[in-house]
Amino acid sequence: MEFTEDAQAPGAPTARIATIMVNAVDAGRLAQFWAELLGTAVSSRFEQFVWLEPAGPGAPQLAFQQVQEPTDGRRRLHLDIHGPDPAALRARAESLGAGFVEGNDIGDFHWDVMQDPEGNEFCIAG
């Protein structure tokens, strides 16, 4: 199968993987470990989140989300999908078989937690 850059469905909302989010009991310590291993630096911190500098322009960021206890099983990380129209992106995801889990807000930043058709969680934000 051959893929081309214009393989996106006409009228589909633009989306990109912005962040690979990892659950961590000690987000600061784990972020520092990965920053040193990857030869990068912590770029920002906000509440329970710590982000590393991306590997390059347009590359997704590796980030860490503070959780109360270790996440059991395979759901220790998830993708954050960003696009200019999050509502249209959510509607498209749902039309493809995704399910809505919950909405979250920190200040004026909103994101929706979703599940793909096999139950893997991901987030959609602007």
Side-chain angles (χ1 to χ4, degrees), residues 31-42 52-56 62:
Q32 192 58 45
F33 166 84
W34 282 102
E36 290 182 26
L37 182 64
L38 298 173
T40 190
V42 170
L52 300 185
E53 291 288 338
L62 185 58

Side-chain angles (χ1 to χ4, degrees), residues 78-94:
H78 66 270
L79 302 177
D80 285 354
I81 310 297
H82 288 192
D85 186 348
L89 189 53
R90 176 180 162 182
R92 173 134 173 87
E94 289 173 327

Side-chain angles (χ1 to χ4, degrees), residues 48-71:
Q48 73 266 32
F49 302 98
V50 182
W51 289 268
L52 300 185
E53 291 288 338
Q61 286 184 282
L62 185 58
F64 303 87
Q65 177 176 338
Q66 186 80 32
V67 296
Q68 294 298 315
E69 52 191 60
T71 304

Side-chain angles (χ1 to χ4, degrees), residues 59-121:
Q61 286 184 282
L62 185 58
F64 303 87
Q65 177 176 338
Q66 186 80 32
V67 296
Q68 294 298 315
E69 52 191 60
T71 304
D72 290 333
R74 301 183 315 192
R75 293 193 177 143
R76 295 178 185 210
L77 62 92
H78 66 270
L79 302 177
D80 285 354
I81 310 297
H82 288 192
D85 186 348
L89 189 53
R90 176 180 162 182
R92 173 134 173 87
E94 289 173 327
S95 77
L96 296 170
F100 174 75
V101 176
E102 66 184 17
N104 294 281
D105 295 287
I106 294 181
D108 63 354
F109 184 73
H110 175 83
W111 71 96
D112 289 329
V113 179
M114 307 292 291
Q115 287 183 336
D116 72 13
E118 290 197 6
N120 299 300
E121 290 187 354

